Amino acid sequence: MMASREASTENTHRVLRVSQLDALELNKALEQLVWSQFTQCFHGFKPGLLARFEPEVKAFLWVFLWRFTVYSKNATVGQSVLNIQYKNDFSPNLRYQPPSKNQKLWYAICTIGGKWLEERCYDLFRNHHLTSFWKVKQCVNIVVGLLKLGELINFLIFLQRGKFATLTERLLGIHSVFCKPQNVREVGFEYMNRELLWHGFAEFLIFLLPLINIQKLKAKLSSWCIPLTGPPTNDNTLATSGKECSLCGEWPIMPHTIGCEHTFCYYCIKSSFLFDMYFTCPKCGTEVHSLQPLKSGIEMSEVNAL
């Protein structure tokens, strides 16, 4: 009974796979941030000053981080952010047991020493082209390939079982657990669903509105309303007599026609036609075939009479 209860408790508080992967990504981001900040300290020095000893400098920085994270707090920086720490999986005690000093030391050797050895061997084999070095290089490549294959197999097992995110953790017998028991939270998704719905609807409108010709739609609606207005009014009389632009409603400047009885300002009809090649008269719905200047002039007496 007690063993089953402890097993059920462990399954309840098991660290999610995504949390373990997030911790690894946070560790990589921290390493990049520390290295970029460190290299900026030598920005004013001779270029390439750190290139010769870059693997050793990186190893020193990672050892410094390891000393104040895994060695002292039993967790990396990414794990500390996510309330996770390492547990000794070889311990027979069901309660939490931190990793031993040997496991922590081997963790530093496998992670920090492995990276240093890989970078230093790459530089060594790149600068020497002897036959003996070529044979050693082939052996090293085989070992590295086997390690990569092991990491791939371990990752597939991790995706299935959710334990030991890296090959180093599996070999050393340490896995991630929560520092404190996680409370079960009930999350309601009503607000999130509503926000997602309105966000998707807003994106749909932003995509759809540029495809709608507002001016043409307005002209179409106004043309539908013309038969409902009854007999022609004074405005219609002014439009047909050439004394009013059918678009702006003002006295037509450089009056032009499009083949119907209505008159337009040259700039009004030209800009509308350039904006919409299928522009139609807002009064009668006639399509624009060609712009023609108004031939029948308007007497100045009519202008004065207005």
Side-chain angles (χ1 to χ4, degrees):
M1 287 295 292
M2 293 297 296
S4 61
R5 185 178 301 177
E6 293 290 342
S8 62
T9 304
E10 183 180 358
N11 292 332
T12 303
H13 303 296
R14 177 175 294 181
V15 180
L16 298 177
R17 297 173 179 83
V18 64
S19 299
Q20 299 183 53
L21 296 178
D22 287 342
L24 296 177
E25 293 299 325
L26 288 174
N27 294 334
K28 294 178 182 179
L30 175 69
E31 293 178 358
Q32 294 178 359
L33 179 61
V34 171
W35 179 248
S36 63
Q37 294 292 331
F38 183 80
T39 53
Q40 287 181 2
C41 299
F42 299 88
H43 182 71
F45 291 84
K46 182 180 179 181
L49 180 64
L50 297 176
R52 184 177 179 181
F53 306 101
E54 182 175 341
E56 286 75 17
V57 174
K58 283 186 176 181
F60 174 77
L61 292 176
W62 307 156
V63 168
F64 182 80
L65 290 176
W66 167 84
R67 171 61 183 82
F68 294 98
T69 55
V70 177
Y71 187 81
S72 60
K73 298 182 179 180
N74 304 319
T76 63
V77 177
Q79 290 177 331
S80 300
V81 172
L82 299 175
N83 191 28
I84 301 173
Q85 61 184 1
Y86 280 129
K87 177 185 177 182
N88 188 356
D89 197 58
F90 293 151
S91 175
N93 194 350
L94 295 177
R95 295 183 179 180
Y96 172 76
Q97 291 292 331
S100 63
K101 290 186 178 180
N102 291 331
Q103 288 176 323
K104 295 177 182 179
L105 291 175
W106 278 108
Y107 180 87
I109 293 173
C110 293
T111 56
I112 303 173
K115 293 180 181 178
W116 172 82
L117 185 63
E118 182 180 1
E119 294 181 3
R120 184 49 68 191
C121 289
Y122 176 77
D123 294 338
L124 182 64
F125 295 143
R126 183 182 58 181
N127 298 328
H128 296 80
H129 302 284
L130 299 178
T131 306
S132 59
F133 279 98
W134 183 83
K135 294 180 180 179
V136 175
K137 182 180 179 181
Q138 290 295 110
C139 296
V140 172
N141 290 334
I142 294 175
V143 174
V144 172
L146 293 176
L147 289 176
K148 297 295 182 181
L149 180 61
E151 291 178 357
L152 176 60
I153 297 174
N154 177 79
F155 184 72
L156 296 177
I157 298 175
F158 164 73
L159 293 179
Q160 181 181 7
R161 300 182 180 180
K163 195 175 181 180
F164 303 119
T166 62
L167 182 61
T168 303
E169 295 178 3
R170 184 175 297 276
L171 295 177
L172 298 179
I174 54 177
H175 69 278
S176 301
V177 295
F178 284 114
C179 300
K180 299 178 181 180
Q182 300 296 298
N183 297 325
V184 179
R185 297 180 298 174
E186 295 183 359
V187 181
F189 296 96
E190 291 81 5
Y191 175 77
M192 186 181 297
N193 292 335
R194 185 166 62 251
E195 289 296 321
L196 290 175
L197 177 63
W198 283 109
H199 183 70
F201 182 68
E203 288 187 346
F204 174 73
L205 289 181
I206 293 174
F207 171 77
L208 183 63
L209 286 178
L211 303 179
I212 300 177
N213 192 336
I214 304 298
Q215 188 174 3
K216 185 175 182 179
L217 181 62
K218 182 180 178 181
K220 196 70 174 178
L221 293 176
S222 61
S223 64
W224 289 347
C225 297
I226 287 177
L228 302 178
T229 56
T233 59
N234 187 27
D235 295 339
N236 292 334
T237 304
L238 292 174
T240 54
S241 61
K243 300 177 182 179
E244 181 184 90
C245 176
S246 298
L247 288 175
C248 64
E250 302 294 336
W251 185 270
I253 301 174
M254 300 175 62
H256 279 65
T257 61
I258 59 175
C260 62
E261 58 182 1
H262 300 99
T263 308
F264 306 88
C265 298
Y266 173 75
Y267 297 103
C268 293
I269 188 61
K270 187 66 175 178
S271 59
S272 299
F273 180 67
L274 291 176
F275 179 76
D276 182 13
M277 297 181 59
Y278 303 98
F279 176 78
T280 58
C281 177
K283 300 293 184 180
C284 61
T286 303
E287 293 186 0
V288 179
H289 297 289
S290 61
L291 300 181
Q292 300 177 358
L294 188 62
K295 297 181 179 180
S296 56
I298 302 176
E299 299 293 339
M300 292 302 297
S301 58
E302 297 180 357
V303 176
N304 295 330
L306 293 175

